Amino acid sequence: MPTPLSILVPIVQSPASFEAVNVAVTMAKPKKSRVYVVHVIEVSRSLPLNAELDAEARRGEQLIKRAEEIAAEAGYPVIGTLLQAREAGAALVDEAVDQAVEAIIMGIPFRKPGGSPLLGRTPEYVMKHATCSVWVVRQSMAPARPHPHE
């Protein structure tokens, strides 16, 4: 499969998300592909979609900044975006279309068999509805060594 020329990486507070950022920038460097890191704030249906969620926005900006730092360590710039939506999965699929990305690279945590669903609600939605390639980076079963920025 050829290297995608544009990649979207959804990020949440998870080592797996930041591993996906590493994978994306490693892939992107040789072809100078664009990498978008996106954090989605899910807005409760009891609030207006454009509600001011200052604490969540600050956390999202911190996650984007961390992803930008990780990419900078690898010597590659990324474009960070913060979105608000009812459902993260739908927002990610729409953003992938809007940005004309060729691949979404998602990090998911390791889950023990028989425990919670393997992928989770958002990755499951993205895998079912994205019109581009979707790559999943699953966190290792081994105890994680903390990333210098975590």
Side-chain angles (χ1 to χ4, degrees):
M1 170 174 212
T3 301
L5 297 177
S6 53
I7 302 167
L8 184 144
V9 184
I11 54 171
V12 295
Q13 181 66 49
S14 141
S17 283
F18 297 112
E19 183 60 29
V21 172
N22 271 323
V23 168
V25 297
T26 300
M27 288 183 53
K29 279 176 90 169
K31 295 232 179 179
K32 295 181 174 48
S33 302
R34 290 176 293 140
V35 178
Y36 299 95
V37 293
V38 178
H39 177 73
V40 180
I41 299 169
E42 289 188 310
V43 180
S44 166
R45 296 204 183 277
S46 64
L47 297 172
L49 189 54
N50 64 349
E52 295 289 326
L53 302 171
D54 294 334
E56 291 85 349
R58 277 192 301 277
R59 276 194 297 277
E61 292 293 343
Q62 289 171 345
L63 293 172
I64 289 169
K65 183 177 182 212
R66 205 142 114 223
E68 290 170 340
E69 290 168 352
I70 290 167
E73 284 178 12
Y76 204 76
V78 296
I79 301 161
T81 303
L82 185 63
L83 302 174
Q84 278 191 198
R86 297 287 183 209
E87 299 286 335
L92 293 168
V93 168
D94 289 347
E95 186 70 5
V97 170
D98 291 348
Q99 297 299 329
V101 300
E102 295 178 2
I104 298 171
I105 300 179
M106 303 186 78
I108 62 168
F110 170 74
R111 293 186 169 108
K112 292 183 179 170
S116 55
L118 179 62
L119 291 178
R121 179 175 53 98
T122 299
E124 185 84 26
Y125 184 94
V126 171
M127 299 247 331
K128 285 181 181 176
H129 296 94
T131 57
C132 61
S133 297
V134 179
W135 301 3
V136 176
V137 176
R138 194 204 73 195
Q139 185 178 357
S140 172
M141 294 185 325
R145 292 184 306 238
H147 191 278
H149 294 285
E150 292 185 51

